Every structure is written in structure tokens, then in C-alpha cells.
Amino acid sequence: MNNGRVGLGLVLCAAVSLAQPSARDPEAARLTARSTRNACADVRPFYWEMGDAGGKVVGDSVGLLAPGAGSVMNIASASKWLYGAYVLEVRGGAPRLVDVPFLNFTSTTPLLEPADESDCKALLTTVHGCNLTRNITGPLVDYAPASPPRFVYQPGHLEAHADYAMNLGASGTLALASEVESRLPLDLSYGNVNLAGGAKTSATEYARFLRALMTGGLKLGAFLGTASVCASPACGDVGYSPWFSNEPARYSLAHWVEPDQGPAHSGGFSSAGLFGFYPWVSKDKSTYLIVAREDMLGVVGQTPTTPAEQTPSGKSILCGRLIRAAYFTGQVQD
């Protein structure tokens, strides 16, 4: 054997190895999140973390007065993913046929906006009382999907389902938190009885939930992306959708299926909230990401026609995409 050739080969291999970006690069993700030259500059202050089934791998607080991993905040529409998981736990596995239109937002439930309804925000309000503000009286068969089904992003789907399919109509905020916590591996509270947007929790707690989806500890993990429907104008006829209008996103069982361009960091499952709390799980369920913030001022003046990229939710998604691209490729995203 020519030891000189072997030695040279080892040197060349080492050089090539050093030249290639390393996968799962925490430092590239950290530098990307802290950059002042990319989309993450627009979401400060925020906390973020990435991890795998074993736990957190990297995370950081960015910006003045930034929240931390344990900071409790309003997660708004990130509540939806929790409710979807709760339903499958109660069902003991797969969703029932009656559940699907309410979880993928194709039912014809009357429009309900709990934030605008005093009865939905009152201290002693119940899920049923909130529904009655818009004459959502059931039974669920009355809200069967149109033909063809049409996606409409609004909280009435989950509120009606909780009332008439899950027997939660008499529940107030404390009872809702207790019931959901009994089925899911996280601590949370509800600021109002809106199952689609009323939960409060921290990044640490939500990460526990995401890891349970990834490992199969929660039954919804096996159903991520299933029963999905077109959920943005880029893929078909939809009602209201807060997603980026030029992206063909889909909506599954109370969570988004993001458009997939091929790379490992593309696509995946998520449930971004109005104030910027953005949880994500990769399409192969190996990795999770959370961008955690509560930008209540950012929604002032926001309307259903406000472009997604100008909303706290959309900005967090764009920042999160850069962080995970850096993490998966080893290339800082500026």
C-alpha cells in the first residue's frame, strides 16, 4: 500500500469536509437570528429555539427586553394546533368523519370573532355562551361543508366543534385549561374561551408539545398533514386566509402544511399566532422550531386584507424560515 497516497487522500478528504457546510449548525442559526440585515430584525424582541426529539439544541433571546424560554404569552392561533391534538387524544386515535370539516376549516359554521364579542370575553363566559353570540346552536350536521368544500379561516369551526362534538359547552377558561392539560403534555391557561386563539403558554411548554408530536407521544403526530385542503388563493378558491397569497399552502387538522420547495428546511407543519408566536415541525418530524413573541402593537390597524408579510405572524414565519435554513445548511442567512 502506498502510505503517501493514503496520507494525501486523508488530507484532501479533510479539506473537502471543512469546505462543506455542516448540517444541524446551531451557530449559523444563532447568527442568523441575531442579524440586523434580514427578516429577523423586524421581529425583535423575540425568543427562539430549535431542537429534536431529545430536547432543545439551541435557542436565544434577541433584542432589548426580549422574552425568554419560560415567558408566558398569548399564543393566539398557535392554540389551534393544541385543540387538534386534544381531539385526537379524546378520540383515541384517528379523527371521526364528523370532526374533519371543523378541524380543516371547511365547515359552514357561522362566522365568529370572539375578540369582538363581549360575551366571549366576559369572566364567566362558557364555550356555549360564546357560540350563542352568533347563533351557533348546532347540531354539527347543520354546518356540513359546501360542495366543493371551501376553506375559511375563522374560530367558529373549533368553537362549534368543542361545544357540540366534545361536550365542552359548559366550560369556562379554568375548565378548558384543566381538560386540555389532562390530555396534552404542557401547562397552559386560557385568557378567554376561544379554543382557536385563547391559550397562553411559554416556548418551553409548547416545545414539549411539539416533541410529543414528533415522537408519536401524541396521536396527532401520525396524522400531521392529513385531510388537508387548499388554504390560500395560490392553490384555489378559498374564503378568508391569512397565509401569504402567493404561496399554495394547505390546512390539515388544525395546523398548516407549508409549501415544500424540496430542501429539508422547507415545508413542514405549523400554527402561527396573530401576535407572532410561531411553532413549526419539519416534514420528516426530526426537528422543531419556535419563534416566540407577543407583538400586540403590531396588530393595531391590521385588517383581513393586510398582506401576511406585514403582520406579526407573517414576519415571524419569514424569520423562522431563515433560522431553520441556516440550521440545516450551515450557511448564515443575511
Side-chain angles (χ1 to χ4, degrees), residues 12 38 55-56 75 80 84 102 141 191 195 208 224-225 248 284 296:
L12 289 174
N38 63 26
K56 172 182 170 181
I75 64 171
K80 293 177 172 64
F102 296 90
V141 69
L195 275 306
R208 291 171 58 197
L224 292 176
D284 66 357
M296 291 188 169

Side-chain angles (χ1 to χ4, degrees), residues 88-152:
L88 264 67
E89 291 301 303
V90 174
R91 294 303 193 214
R96 297 177 185 173
L97 187 61
V98 70
D99 300 324
V100 173
F102 296 90
L103 297 182
N104 70 10
F105 292 5
T106 58
S107 82
T108 54
T109 308
L111 293 177
L112 173 68
E113 292 299 338
D116 299 329
E117 303 292 343
S118 60
D119 286 346
C120 294
K121 296 185 293 182
L123 183 62
L124 299 179
T125 293
T126 63
V127 171
H128 185 62
C130 181
N131 277 326
L132 292 181
T133 64
R134 287 301 174 93
N135 199 32
I136 300 174
T137 57
L140 292 186
V141 69
D142 289 349
Y143 310 127
S147 183
R150 189 167 184 255
F151 172 85
V152 181

Side-chain angles (χ1 to χ4, degrees), residues 22 25 54 69-70 77 86 90 101 108 122 163 175 179 192 194 202 217 220 222 228 293 302 317 328:
S22 60
D25 189 333
S77 284
Y86 166 79
V90 174
T108 54
D163 195 347
E179 175 62 16
N192 57 60
N194 176 15
S202 68
L220 180 58
S228 69
R293 66 193 190 107
Q302 182 176 320
I317 293 171
F328 275 89

Side-chain angles (χ1 to χ4, degrees), residues 19-109:
Q20 297 299 316
S22 60
R24 309 298 198 274
D25 189 333
E27 186 58 23
R30 193 189 308 276
L31 291 173
T32 296
R34 299 189 71 84
S35 174
T36 58
R37 300 187 299 274
N38 63 26
C40 291
D42 290 336
V43 305
R44 294 186 176 200
F46 67 100
Y47 170 79
W48 68 277
E49 76 172 63
M50 293 193 72
D52 54 29
K56 172 182 170 181
V57 173
V58 60
D60 198 8
S61 295
V62 181
L64 184 65
L65 302 178
S71 299
V72 174
M73 62 187 71
N74 291 285
I75 64 171
S77 284
S79 307
K80 293 177 172 64
W81 212 351
L82 303 180
Y83 182 73
Y86 166 79
V87 171
L88 264 67
E89 291 301 303
V90 174
R91 294 303 193 214
R96 297 177 185 173
L97 187 61
V98 70
D99 300 324
V100 173
F102 296 90
L103 297 182
N104 70 10
F105 292 5
T106 58
S107 82
T108 54
T109 308

